[in-house]
Amino acid sequence: MFSNYLIGLREGLEASLVVCILIAYLVKTGRREALKPIWTGIAIAVALALGFGCALEFGSQELTFQAQEALGGSLSIVAVGLVTWMVFWMRRTARHLKSELHGRLDAALAMGTGALVATAFLAVGREGLETALFVWASVHAASDGTPRPLIGVALGIATAVLLGWLFYRGAVRINLAKFFTWTGGMLVVVAAGVLAYGVHDLQEAGWVPGLTNLAFDISDTIPPDSWYGTLLKGVLNFQPDPTVVQLVVWLLYLVPVLTLFLLPSRVSARTGEPVAGAAK
């Protein structure tokens, strides 16, 4: 549940910050008439993300077991690729996000209502589609027959919306560079688990060999249905009986990606400036 909460928080906060920056800029510059097309673009982006998530969930239920596993595994790998790109991009551009969005908004204001709708849609829609895909893959990987993964995502998004509102009101100050570095590092760990689970899905679909070749099996020590087994699975997507291929893929992803992600952050975190609420 924690890993899904983290996904909802991290992805939701990015979208919330984008919305706050766009709205605050229009209010500060006295262009309130442009708020309606901005909200229209945001609403379309949210509807598209929800529709995409529903299509993934309900569309996959009509497939055969092997097709479901192949689809789940393939989309998990795609989701991990998108999230990996996203955490590196956000760590690099967090301190410049506001000025970048302001520039896009100025250009859209000069072009008219349609451009404003498109700007808001593109700014939020990318985050929404990434979130829907990674949430679906993570919930699919961490599913234990309970609604806890979805509850975790919902709580994370709700927290992100609250933080976004507090940013807008100027009630919260945060060093975004440090925040996205720490949450990005944790998200890389979650992504490694999703990637390993996606590979396992492909093994069950017959696309990747080695399904019966286990790296180890500690199910007796850490039963999957125990509270601590459930906790490890919910936080780290831990599996007590991974295949050799799963373990190798997990290590090949986690070690180099986390190292590359954290090493530059030591410099950028020292130079990052605290970012005040967007309305100030």
Side-chain angles (χ1 to χ4, degrees):
M1 184 171 174
F2 174 76
S3 64
N4 294 287
Y5 174 83
L6 176 64
I7 294 168
L9 174 63
R10 165 70 189 236
E11 301 288 338
L13 186 57
E14 288 186 28
S16 294
L17 286 174
V18 168
V19 172
C20 289
I21 290 170
L22 293 176
I23 299 301
Y25 184 63
L26 292 175
V27 172
K28 285 176 62 177
T29 56
R31 299 170 181 177
R32 291 180 177 270
E33 71 281 357
L35 290 176
K36 185 176 180 179
I38 290 295
W39 282 116
T40 300
I42 292 170
I44 294 173
V46 171
L48 178 63
L50 290 174
F52 180 55
C54 290
L56 288 175
E57 178 61 25
F58 297 111
S60 63
Q61 293 179 1
E62 304 299 322
L63 303 175
T64 64
F65 172 77
Q66 283 192 326
Q68 287 182 6
E69 296 304 293
L71 177 64
S74 300
L75 290 180
S76 294
I77 293 172
V78 172
V80 169
L82 288 174
V83 167
T84 303
W85 172 83
M86 177 270 297
V87 295
F88 276 95
W89 177 83
M90 181 53 74
R91 184 187 56 79
R92 186 176 63 251
T93 62
R95 296 189 304 278
H96 312 294
L97 182 62
K98 183 183 291 187
S99 59
E100 181 179 331
L101 287 174
H102 285 177
R104 293 181 185 179
L105 197 53
D106 283 335
L109 285 166
M111 295 175 65
T113 301
L116 286 170
V117 174
T119 298
F121 171 76
L122 292 174
V124 178
R126 179 179 63 85
E127 304 290 347
L129 291 176
E130 286 179 0
T131 301
L133 179 57
F134 195 56
V135 163
W136 181 85
S138 180
V139 169
H140 180 69
S143 179
D144 54 4
T146 72
R148 282 180 294 186
L150 287 176
I151 292 174
V153 172
L155 289 175
I157 292 175
T159 304
V161 172
L162 175 61
L163 286 175
W165 181 78
L166 292 174
F167 289 151
Y168 179 81
R169 302 300 302 176
V172 169
R173 296 175 63 88
I174 188 172
N175 187 314
L176 291 182
K178 287 185 178 180
F179 175 85
F180 284 119
T181 294
W182 284 104
T183 57
M186 289 187 286
L187 207 56
V188 168
V189 176
V190 173
V194 172
L195 179 61
Y197 193 90
V199 170
H200 186 266
D201 280 350
L202 294 181
Q203 289 182 305
E204 290 191 328
W207 287 21
V208 176
L211 180 60
T212 59
N213 188 14
L214 300 183
F216 54 82
D217 187 351
I218 54 175
S219 300
D220 292 336
T221 305
I222 307 179
D225 56 352
S226 64
W227 69 267
Y228 45 92
T230 303
L231 179 64
L232 287 172
K233 182 175 179 62
V235 175
L236 301 174
N237 287 316
F238 173 79
Q239 184 176 336
D241 56 346
T243 66
V244 172
V245 175
Q246 276 185 279
L247 182 60
V248 169
V249 168
W250 184 81
L251 289 171
L252 287 178
Y253 172 85
L254 181 63
V255 174
V257 172
L258 193 59
T259 300
L260 288 173
F261 181 78
L262 291 179
L263 284 179
S265 71
R266 296 175 182 174
V267 176
S268 61
R270 286 199 302 268
T271 59
E273 292 295 331
V275 178
K280 289 207 171 184

